[in-house]
Amino acid sequence: MSASEFEIIQRYFAESGLDFSRQGVELGIGDDAALLTLHQDSNLAISMDVLVEHVHFPEGADPDLIANRALAVNLSDLAAMAAQPLCFTLGLVLAERDEKWLEHFSKGLLALAKKFNCPLVGGDTTKCSPESANTSISIQVHGICSKNKASLRSGANPGDKIYVSGKLGDGAIALLSLDLQSHLPDSFQLQNSELPESCKQYFSDAYYRPQPRIALALAIRELITSSIDISDGLLGDLGHITSASNCGAKLILAELPVSESARCCVSEDNQVKAALFGGDDYELCFTVPPVHCAEVEKIASGLGEELSCIGEIVGGNQISCFDHSGSERVFENHSYQHF
């Protein structure tokens, strides 16, 4: 390890407070590996996402916002599994050592890490090649879930109701608001080029500060049959549930939860496309047997979480969408593809 790499880790990721103590973490930053304590009745849930400059965030974006987003999208994977966050590791590839950038990036990580009691326990930093000077952020999160209590994609049954948390489509619309490129067709545009400042701030928060639904997931995990977080678009991610569960789904488009800012800034048709295909919402999509729906809704209400029942699991292997008149609508698939 070079002196400069050690100094970066020590100053910005150890002395910053990110390696705060937590039960279950015996040894964090400073050795060749972290040491974690696990119990016989628990599983370790592990997930990792990579964020790359110009792909997942623009050049010049606020480093504390980038950091918040990078950790939040990983914590959302733990929420999908109903796992309690334990700790995380960080891989950071930089074009240069920028003290101010590192300081703000570290602070952005710390705020969210503290909120979810999820300290940094190790990682690596390196310099990228001159030919590819894009910043790259790799975060791996570790969480704990009780044995046989993880929420999987494979448990949905015909008759289960389909729920989502929060609002859908804001992540995709945020790309337009932030002048970033969307994978949706050219017809996916803002209604007006000049957005109200309140909408600009709303979409910035939606993109850079998604809210991992950890508390909700842990509270309802024994009442639901399957779960996934919405990162690549509702239809694509719900499709992972139906495929793993060998079933189909019926969606009611009028029940899709859309924010007031979305209604203000894009057409009704584009609101639906953003919700179905946009991704970057990091809300939960899960299935609930009818007998447990009232209890799940009550729990969510007590936590201050918004839930929407948007459809039902059915037999077969297709996902069908129906409008307010009961007519089926067929869409060309525009779910996000990583390659």
Side-chain angles (χ1 to χ4, degrees):
M1 180 186 291
S2 69
S4 61
E5 180 187 6
F6 176 81
E7 289 169 3
I8 287 174
I9 293 172
Q10 186 66 23
R11 180 174 178 181
Y12 296 104
F13 303 113
E15 294 178 359
S16 68
L18 276 165
D19 64 338
F20 56 87
S21 62
R22 187 208 194 283
Q23 186 177 3
V25 179
E26 286 193 19
L27 179 65
I29 300 172
D31 215 306
D32 289 301
L35 296 178
L36 312 178
T37 301
L38 293 182
H39 304 288
Q40 291 184 347
D41 59 351
S42 299
N43 287 327
L44 181 65
I46 302 173
S47 183
M48 181 175 73
D49 277 318
V50 178
L51 275 69
V52 180
E53 187 178 22
H54 298 298
V55 178
H56 302 101
F57 57 90
E59 182 179 5
D62 193 332
D64 69 344
L65 293 179
I66 297 171
N68 190 98
R69 174 173 166 80
L71 183 52
V73 301
N74 280 276
L75 290 171
S76 183
D77 283 330
L78 292 185
M81 301 293 292
Q84 179 72 54
L86 174 63
C87 59
F88 74 101
T89 56
L90 170 68
L92 195 57
V93 181
L94 300 171
E96 60 183 354
R97 176 174 173 169
D98 183 329
E99 306 283 344
K100 185 176 180 181
W101 190 96
L102 285 163
E103 181 180 353
H104 285 278
F105 182 81
S106 175
K107 288 181 178 178
L109 285 177
L110 180 59
L112 197 62
K114 282 281 193 179
K115 178 179 179 179
F116 288 98
N117 194 22
C118 187
L120 177 67
V121 297
D124 191 25
T125 62
T126 191
K127 184 176 181 178
C128 59
S129 67
E131 293 79 16
S132 177
N134 292 339
T135 296
S136 176
I137 304 161
S138 301
I139 287 181
Q140 185 176 71
V141 286
H142 302 72
I144 297 175
C145 53
S146 301
K147 276 193 180 298
N148 304 316
K149 294 295 179 66
S151 297
L152 307 180
R153 302 175 181 182
S154 55
N157 299 296
D160 288 352
K161 301 299 182 181
I162 303 169
Y163 281 81
V164 293
S165 63
K167 304 292 187 183
L168 300 183
D170 289 334
I173 300 171
L175 293 175
L176 302 179
S177 174
L178 297 168
D179 293 323
L180 299 174
Q181 185 174 359
S182 170
H183 68 278
L184 295 176
D186 292 341
S187 59
F188 183 66
Q189 297 180 355
L190 298 171
Q191 293 189 111
N192 299 295
S193 57
E194 288 297 321
L195 297 183
E197 285 301 319
S198 59
C199 290
K200 287 183 180 180
Q201 185 60 55
Y202 176 85
F203 289 122
S204 177
D205 288 343
Y207 191 75
Y208 287 114
R209 300 187 184 279
Q211 301 298 312
R213 306 299 182 183
I214 298 289
L216 173 64
L218 293 175
I220 65 175
R221 62 184 173 184
E222 297 192 35
L223 302 173
I224 67 177
T225 53
S226 68
S227 178
I228 194 170
D229 78 321
I230 303 172
S231 57
D232 297 331
L234 173 64
L235 277 190
D237 290 320
L238 177 59
H240 294 315
I241 287 180
T242 58
S243 177
S245 301
N246 296 311
C247 58
K250 175 183 176 180
L251 292 182
I252 308 302
L253 298 178
E255 300 302 327
L256 297 178
V258 178
S259 68
E260 288 303 315
S261 291
R263 298 182 193 279
C264 167
C265 298
V266 299
S267 67
E268 184 175 348
D269 188 57
N270 278 333
Q271 292 167 29
V272 172
K273 289 179 180 176
L276 293 180
F277 303 109
D280 279 324
D281 288 320
Y282 301 101
E283 296 291 350
L284 292 181
C285 174
F286 55 92
T287 55
V288 186
V291 66
H292 294 317
C293 287
E295 187 174 358
V296 166
E297 291 177 6
K298 181 179 179 180
I299 290 171
S301 178
L303 292 171
E305 297 278 14
E306 177 185 357
L307 293 187
S308 300
C309 182
I310 61 171
E312 183 176 336
I313 296 295
V314 297
N317 58 7
Q318 301 292 322
I319 300 178
S320 302
C321 300
F322 296 86
D323 63 21
H324 63 279
S325 68
S327 300
E328 183 175 359
R329 286 194 62 184
V330 178
F331 297 91
E332 184 178 351
N333 186 9
H334 293 294
S335 294
Y336 180 74
Q337 301 294 325
H338 293 265
F339 290 95

